[in-house]
Amino acid sequence: MFHLIYFEPRIAGNTGAAIRLSACTGALLHLVEPMCFDLNNDTKLRRAGLDYHDLAHVVTHPHFDDAVASIPGRIFAFTGHSTTPYTDVSYQDGDALLFGPEPCGLPEEVMADKRIEQLVRIPMKEGARSLNLTNAASIALYEALRQQGFNNLV
């Protein structure tokens, strides 16, 4: 199983889409507080997640340290501050893909954390700041799943 970590997510619709991504792939979604919306009552989150909420695997963590402690594998942080493409990583079962909040990305202290295996990036055209959060998470997660032969997916 792969893990997605959303560090302090700020846009409910993106987190709803991540819940749907978790349900469709079997990835465990870790949400690090604080969040800028109510996980149980936000209409944009529920709309983006459709009827997948009961099928998803979601855990909230009060702090980044709590999230990291629950990851059995390595952690790859996605950032525009890296030159290493995400496709250069050989992903393994239990690995986590870490993404920062919209619109600012991961803070320096998180990227410098010794438990981060590597900083990686999704290539984009020069001048583009970032992809949509859950679009980026989908690209990365599906690469990891592809490398594992899409185990348990049809």
Side-chain angles (χ1 to χ4, degrees), residues 105-125:
L106 292 167
E108 292 292 329
E109 64 271 11
V110 170
M111 290 189 289
D113 190 291
K114 65 181 178 181
R115 297 165 293 187
I116 303 296
E117 178 78 16
Q118 190 172 12
L119 301 178
V120 296
R121 72 176 294 125
I122 297 172
M124 294 179 285
K125 290 183 77 169

Side-chain angles (χ1 to χ4, degrees), residues 53-148:
H53 294 265
D54 293 339
L55 302 173
H57 310 284
V58 181
V59 179
T60 58
H61 301 277
H63 305 286
F64 180 65
D65 288 341
D66 297 324
V68 170
S70 69
I71 303 300
R74 304 166 301 167
I75 300 172
F76 295 93
F78 284 73
T79 176
H81 301 286
S82 175
T83 57
T84 304
Y86 74 103
T87 52
D88 284 359
V89 173
S90 294
Y91 298 99
Q92 302 169 10
D93 189 39
D95 284 350
L97 313 175
L98 170 63
F99 296 88
E102 319 88 337
C104 58
L106 292 167
E108 292 292 329
E109 64 271 11
V110 170
M111 290 189 289
D113 190 291
K114 65 181 178 181
R115 297 165 293 187
I116 303 296
E117 178 78 16
Q118 190 172 12
L119 301 178
V120 296
R121 72 176 294 125
I122 297 172
M124 294 179 285
K125 290 183 77 169
E126 187 174 343
R129 284 192 335 260
S130 66
L131 291 164
N132 169 277
L133 175 60
T134 300
N135 288 347
S138 298
I139 289 167
L141 178 58
Y142 270 91
E143 171 60 15
L145 291 165
R146 183 196 67 77
Q147 288 184 17
Q148 297 297 308

